[in-house]
Amino acid sequence: MKKRTICLSVSIFLLILSGCGKDTLPDSYIEGSDFQYMRQGDTDWEPQMQRGEKGYYFRQGEFVYYLDDGTGLLLPLCNKVDCLHDREKDMERRRSCNAYLYYGEFSNPYSQGIVYCDGYLYCLTDQGFLDEKTLYRLFEDGSRKEQVYNWSGVGIEGWIVHRGVFYYSEHFYTYDEEGEMEEHFALKALDLTDAVKEPGLIYALDEENVFYLGIHWPTAYGNYVYFMVDGSEEDGSGALAPYYKTFIYDIANEEIRELTYEGMRKEETITSVTFWQDRILFVPYVYDKNNIEDFYLGEGTVYIADLDGSNVEVFMENAPMGYRIRSDGRYLYHTNSFLVYLNATGRLDYEEAETFWVYDENMELVDTLVMPDGVNPLKEPPIGDARWLMITYQADDGSWGVLRFDKSKIGSCHGAEIDCTVIPYE
C-alpha cells in the first residue's frame, strides 16, 4: 500500500444549511435534523433504525419499514395502493416499490444503514466496492423515492447525515504517469439542500510513513463532526505500529483538530467518542493484541471534554476497558456488550449476560438491564431514545420483527431480564 499523509489543510467548503446559517445553530442535540448518535452500536456498520416525526423506521434487507406510533403496526414505507411491496415476485414491480432499495450480493455493509433528517430518510445502495453507488431520499409518508446523488468508481466506508449535510468517507484509486496505482482516502461533505450538488473535501489522508486502512466511524453532535483514522506507521526501526487517531471537524469555523489530552502518550489511541450533557466522553488506551484478555478485562480512565476537545477532565476511573459507554440524552449506559460479542466470536472467554448499567445525570446508578435471551450477540443493541429501546430480531424461519422496551420502567428492573413487547412483521 502506498504511503499516505494527513493533509491538515482543509479545502474551504461552505456548507449552507436550509433555513439558518450553520454558525447560528446551537451546540446541543436538535431532534429531527441531527445525526441520531444513540442508534449506533459498537458492532453496527451503520444505524438501521431511526426516529422520525411520524414513527420509527427500520431497514431490513431490501426494504425500509416503519412502526406507526398510533397503530403499533410494522409496515413497508410505501403508500401505493396497488403495490405488494416485499411480497411482489415480479422484479420490475418490486423495484418500483417506494420502500425498495437494491441490496446486491456484494453490497458493502457500510451501505446498509438508514438516516432520518428533516422529514426524509436517506439510504445508500451499491453494487460492489468500486461500482455505482446511489444515495436515495425516501419521503417519510411513503409517497415517493428519489435519487439524490450517484458515485462511480469509489468506495464509501462510513457516512452520516447531520443538519442537512451528507458526510462520508471516500476510498478510491488513481494511476500516475508510470501506471503505478495510488490509493486515496478522504472525508467529504455533500450539501443536501443545494439544488446543484457537488461534494466538498473536508480532509484527505496523505502522511509519510503511514499505511492507511481508512476513515471510519463518523459521528456528529452540535456544530462538530468526529471521525477516526486508522492504519499503521513505521516506528523508525522498520517495524509497523498501530495508527489510530480521532479528529474533530468544527463545522462553523471549518477547522480540524486531533482529539488529545494533556499528558497523552504517543502510544495511546482514542477511537471513538460518546455524547453526554452536550460534551464528549472518550477512553484512551494502548492496545495489546498479544494479550487481548488482560487488555479487555483490565481497567482504564474515561475522560470528559467540551465538544471541541478542550477542557478535558477525568470522568470515571478504574473503568473496565472492555465495557462501552452509550447515551440517549437522558441516561448514560455502561455495557459489557462488546465483551459478549468477543465471546460469541471466540476471541475471549467471557460468559456474563449482556447487561446495561444505567446512570442518571448525577452519575447515580438507577437500574441494571439484562438483554432478553435470543438477542443477537454479534450485534450490540442500540440503546434508543429517552422513550424506547428497540431491537430488531430475525427468527430461523426468516421472519422478523421488533422487541420494544418501555424506558419508563427504568428503575424497576434491578438486574432482571427486561420485558419487551414483541412486534412481529406480518
Side-chain angles (χ1 to χ4, degrees):
M1 188 182 295
K2 192 177 177 67
K3 300 175 183 176
R4 7 215 138 268
T5 179
I6 298 177
C7 187
L8 291 179
S9 62
V10 179
S11 289
I12 302 301
F13 178 59
L14 300 179
L15 303 178
I16 306 300
L17 300 183
S18 178
C20 57
K22 60 188 175 182
D23 57 342
T24 66
L25 297 175
D27 276 330
S28 57
Y29 181 72
I30 301 176
E31 186 172 355
S33 70
D34 286 10
F35 171 67
Q36 296 183 21
Y37 63 90
M38 68 288 292
R39 307 198 185 278
Q40 192 171 34
D42 206 34
T43 53
D44 284 340
W45 294 105
E46 299 293 339
Q48 294 177 318
M49 66 176 71
Q50 294 281 278
R51 168 68 185 175
E53 184 178 342
K54 301 180 185 301
Y56 290 84
Y57 298 85
F58 304 86
R59 186 169 180 181
Q60 184 75 8
E62 296 178 326
F63 287 83
V64 176
Y65 302 83
Y66 76 97
L67 178 61
D68 186 88
D69 278 346
T71 65
L73 296 176
L74 196 57
L75 301 168
L77 186 61
C78 177
N79 68 359
K80 293 182 178 180
V81 295
D82 60 344
C83 186
L84 296 177
H85 317 301
D86 53 5
R87 292 174 172 83
E88 178 61 67
K89 302 301 181 183
D90 182 87
M91 284 307 300
E92 184 174 348
R93 290 180 58 85
R94 188 179 178 92
R95 292 190 186 97
S96 70
C97 174
N98 288 338
Y100 176 83
L101 293 165
Y102 177 79
Y103 188 81
E105 180 181 358
F106 301 104
S107 290
N108 192 315
Y110 291 107
S111 72
Q112 297 167 18
I114 182 172
V115 171
Y116 177 87
C117 184
D118 296 330
Y120 303 105
L121 291 150
Y122 293 91
C123 310
L124 193 68
T125 67
D126 73 73
Q127 301 179 34
F129 174 57
L130 293 180
D131 290 326
E132 183 176 349
K133 290 165 180 59
T134 303
L135 178 65
Y136 281 93
R137 177 190 287 126
L138 280 62
F139 284 52
E140 189 174 12
D141 61 1
S143 63
R144 190 175 171 187
K145 173 180 64 179
E146 61 186 20
Q147 295 186 17
V148 178
Y149 196 82
N150 289 87
W151 295 263
S152 183
V154 302
I156 293 181
E157 301 176 349
W159 60 277
I160 62 173
V161 177
H162 181 67
R163 298 186 174 181
V165 178
F166 179 81
Y167 296 96
Y168 65 100
S169 169
E170 187 176 82
H171 180 188
F172 63 99
Y173 296 88
T174 59
Y175 294 87
D176 61 20
E177 294 180 354
E178 286 74 35
E180 182 181 354
M181 184 174 69
E182 298 181 350
E183 191 173 24
H184 305 271
F185 300 94
L187 182 70
K188 292 189 174 182
L190 182 71
D191 186 351
L192 299 173
T193 68
D194 189 356
V196 182
K197 298 176 177 59
E198 185 64 32
L201 175 65
I202 292 177
Y203 202 62
L205 305 187
D206 194 19
E207 184 176 349
E208 287 292 331
N209 303 321
V210 177
F211 299 85
Y212 289 111
L213 295 176
I215 298 174
H216 298 125
W217 201 309
T219 57
Y221 191 97
N223 289 307
Y224 298 89
V225 174
Y226 306 79
F227 58 96
M228 182 190 77
V229 175
D230 70 313
S232 57
E233 63 178 331
E234 296 180 4
D235 62 2
S237 65
L240 295 177
Y243 182 97
Y244 297 104
K245 293 185 178 182
T246 292
F247 292 90
I248 305 171
Y249 173 53
D250 182 333
I251 300 171
N253 297 310
E254 298 177 336
E255 297 175 347
I256 288 179
R257 64 181 295 180
E258 182 184 351
L259 176 59
T260 62
Y261 70 98
E262 185 176 357
M264 183 173 173
R265 294 173 290 162
K266 176 177 173 53
E267 60 270 22
E268 285 186 311
T269 60
I270 299 169
T271 58
S272 64
V273 298
T274 299
F275 306 109
W276 177 239
Q277 302 296 306
D278 296 337
R279 303 186 78 192
I280 56 173
L281 300 173
F282 63 90
V283 181
Y285 64 87
V286 180
Y287 181 65
D288 185 357
K289 66 179 180 180
N290 297 315
N291 199 349
I292 186 172
E293 185 167 333
D294 285 351
F295 172 74
Y296 283 117
L297 298 181
E299 296 180 339
T301 301
V302 181
Y303 292 88
I304 189 167
D306 292 344
L307 293 174
D308 64 357
S310 63
N311 298 318
V312 180
E313 305 170 280
V314 173
F315 181 77
M316 182 186 299
E317 295 183 294
N318 304 317
M321 288 299 297
Y323 283 22
R324 296 294 183 261
I325 300 176
R326 300 285 174 258
S327 166
D328 63 11
R330 179 182 180 185
Y331 294 114
L332 194 69
Y333 302 78
H334 213 186
T335 177
N336 64 352
S337 291
F338 190 63
L339 296 179
V340 175
Y341 162 78
L342 290 176
N343 179 73
T345 56
R347 286 182 277 176
L348 186 69
D349 185 11
Y350 184 86
E351 298 182 354
E352 299 294 329
E354 189 168 18
T355 304
F356 286 74
W357 290 268
V358 187
Y359 295 84
D360 63 15
E361 61 183 6
N362 299 314
M363 286 308 295
E364 296 290 335
L365 181 65
V366 296
D367 210 350
T368 304
L369 313 179
V370 175
M371 292 299 102
D373 185 40
V375 171
N376 185 356
L378 300 181
K379 187 174 182 181
E380 176 185 311
I383 51 93
D385 55 27
R387 183 181 180 190
W388 302 110
L389 182 155
M390 288 193 284
I391 309 164
T392 56
Y393 70 86
Q394 186 159 354
D396 292 338
D397 62 1
S399 62
W400 72 282
V402 175
L403 302 177
R404 185 172 68 182
F405 171 69
D406 184 351
K407 287 191 176 180
S408 67
K409 297 179 180 178
I410 287 179
S412 63
C413 297
H414 307 301
E417 185 177 293
I418 61 175
D419 182 21
C420 294
T421 300
V422 180
I423 305 173
Y425 174 63
E426 298 176 326

